[in-house]
């Protein structure tokens, strides 16, 4: 089994990605800087630009959305709700 498929390995990869992201944000001089988005099969033919601010907000939204998906799965497995008042 590869170290990348262990919980420890995945946590190390996540921490490294977090450090890289933190450094990239710290190095930003202008949140309005326009950045070309990567080309994908579903992208329009012309290059699309987003501001650094929009990209960061998109990353935050995507992280929250997918964390919510994981929470829904967890709730369906154990029945516990993080919003239940006791």
């Amino acid at each position: 089994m590869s170290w990348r498929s262990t919980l420890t390995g995945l946590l190390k990869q996540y921490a490294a990605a977090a450090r890289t992201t933190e450094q990239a944000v710290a190095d930003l001089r202008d949140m309005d800087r326009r950045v070309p988005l990567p080309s994908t099969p579903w992208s329009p033919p012309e290059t699309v630009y987003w501001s650094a601010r929009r990209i960061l907000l998109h990353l935050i939204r995507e992280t929250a959305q997918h964390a919510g998906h994981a929470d829904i799965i967890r709730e369906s497995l154990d029945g516990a709700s993080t919003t239940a008042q006791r």
Side-chain angles (χ1 to χ4, degrees):
M1 175 179 3
S2 166
W3 68 269
R4 293 173 191 252
S5 62
T6 65
L7 177 58
T8 301
L10 292 172
L11 291 173
K12 285 181 181 180
Q13 286 180 308
Y14 187 86
R19 284 190 302 274
T20 300
T21 302
E22 287 173 7
Q23 189 60 55
V25 172
D27 291 345
L28 278 174
R29 301 274 185 239
D30 180 9
M31 294 293 283
D32 293 321
R33 176 179 172 221
R34 292 172 42 88
V35 180
L37 297 183
S39 178
T40 61
W42 54 88
S43 298
E46 68 278 355
T47 302
V48 176
Y49 292 85
W50 281 7
S51 69
R53 177 180 287 105
R54 183 175 177 184
I55 292 169
L56 288 172
L57 290 173
H58 180 76
L59 289 172
I60 292 167
R61 185 190 64 79
E62 284 289 319
T63 300
Q65 179 179 356
H66 292 291
H69 292 160
D71 195 48
I72 290 167
I73 293 168
R74 187 212 36 87
E75 285 180 9
S76 70
L77 293 173
D78 67 12
S81 172
T82 58
T83 58
Q85 301 294 320
R86 295 178 191 212

